[in-house]
Amino acid sequence: DVKVTQSSRYLVKRTGEKVFLECVQDMDHENMFWYRQDPGLGLRLIYFSYDVKMKEKGDIPEGYSVSREKKERFSLILESASTNQTSMYLCASWAGNTEAFFGQGTRLTVV
Amino acid sequence: GEDVEQSLFLSVREGDSSVINCTYTDSSSTYLYWYKQEPGAGLQLLTYIFSNMDMKQDQRLTVLLNKKDKHLSLRIADTQTGDSAIYFCAEWGTNAGKSTFGDGTTLTVKP
């Protein structure tokens, strides 16, 4: 019954590495989102996409980019990982008129 | 700007009812959601309510919406230890990316 799948639950990367976080949804939703969650800061929107090849910056896009080549897949890219990008990353998918679902989260540690 | 407020902590005894409250500011909010997050996991959609509804019941969960006061509540009947988690109130508007989350209420259920 899994609807939104994130490729990794836990990830450890080195400073300066290029990191890809993948998210796949099987509900044919147009809208997909990437958030990061940090203690005391809640959920913050990084980027979202409302259609294939379309993307919009969220509240904290600096240091990140995204790719949406296919409707079901939305990738978050850390061009050069830094320690302040250590966080829990959450992907969400929404049709725009009903439930919005989240993936299980990826806990990224940058050392 | 839009804001969603929740109390941070709630503690109840097993078998009691829990009521988690949320206030929001965006009067154009179309969908209001409750999510549950267990430690180390993603956000699990519990239930949602459309802005043209006053109440929604789903098994042990009851959502009440007071549009005039912009107040949303989640009642969990017969609370169990497995209900211990962080509960997020969220509003998703009609435009992709226009979503706001509360900071989450940590529910602790004592045996």
Side-chain angles (χ1 to χ4, degrees):
Chain A
D1 192 39
V2 176
K3 296 177 172 61
V4 182
T5 304
Q6 294 182 228
S7 52
S8 305
R9 288 294 303 273
Y10 301 96
L11 214 51
V12 180
K13 295 292 181 180
R14 294 196 179 278
T15 302
E17 275 194 78
K18 189 168 186 176
V19 181
F20 293 86
L21 302 184
E22 306 285 348
C23 177
V24 176
Q25 51 97 1
D26 62 1
M27 297 167 286
D28 202 35
H29 285 176
E30 289 79 16
N31 306 298
M32 296 186 74
F33 307 81
W34 274 107
Y35 292 87
R36 65 178 282 178
Q37 184 182 24
D38 301 286
L41 296 176
L43 270 76
R44 292 181 292 168
L45 181 64
I46 303 171
Y47 266 98
F48 67 98
S49 169
Y50 53 89
D51 202 351
V52 175
K53 297 191 187 295
M54 305 304 288
K55 60 185 179 184
E56 292 285 344
K57 293 180 180 178
D59 300 319
I60 51 162
E62 296 78 18
Y64 303 94
S65 62
V66 290
S67 172
R68 185 109 180 258
E69 294 297 317
K70 293 184 178 180
K71 192 175 187 180
E72 67 269 20
R73 185 181 297 270
F74 191 35
S75 304
L76 179 70
I77 304 156
L78 285 67
E79 297 291 343
S80 176
S82 63
T83 54
N84 63 11
Q85 292 178 309
T86 291
S87 186
M88 173 73 132
Y89 289 88
L90 296 164
C91 174
S93 172
W94 185 44
N97 58 0
T98 182
E99 301 99 321
F101 293 99
F102 280 82
Q104 77 277 28
T106 297
R107 185 164 292 283
L108 172 68
T109 303
V110 182
V111 298
Chain B
E2 298 84 4
D3 199 12
V4 175
E5 301 277 348
Q6 298 178 241
S7 53
L8 292 181
F9 302 99
L10 178 65
S11 179
V12 301
R13 292 215 172 271
E14 193 172 18
D16 288 350
S17 291
S18 307
V19 179
I20 303 171
N21 294 301
C22 170
T23 58
Y24 60 97
T25 57
D26 186 358
S27 58
S28 68
S29 296
T30 306
Y31 311 100
L32 296 151
Y33 294 82
W34 284 104
Y35 292 90
K36 176 184 181 183
Q37 186 178 36
E38 296 178 353
L43 271 67
Q44 174 197 353
L45 178 64
L46 280 180
T47 187
Y48 64 95
I49 190 167
F50 294 131
S51 59
N52 61 356
M53 297 167 67
D54 296 322
M55 186 184 88
K56 181 178 180 181
Q57 187 150 4
D58 185 0
Q59 299 182 336
R60 291 191 297 125
L61 306 178
T62 303
V63 180
L64 294 177
L65 175 61
N66 181 328
K67 290 184 286 294
K68 175 176 169 289
D69 297 335
K70 298 191 181 70
H71 182 265
L72 183 72
S73 68
L74 173 69
R75 179 176 180 270
I76 306 172
D78 187 25
T79 313
Q80 303 297 307
T81 54
D83 294 325
S84 292
I86 302 175
Y87 291 81
F88 290 89
C89 168
E91 52 100 7
W92 293 65
T94 52
N95 299 316
K98 189 175 179 292
S99 62
T100 306
F101 286 78
D103 288 337
T105 299
T106 299
L107 174 64
T108 303
V109 183
K110 298 179 180 177

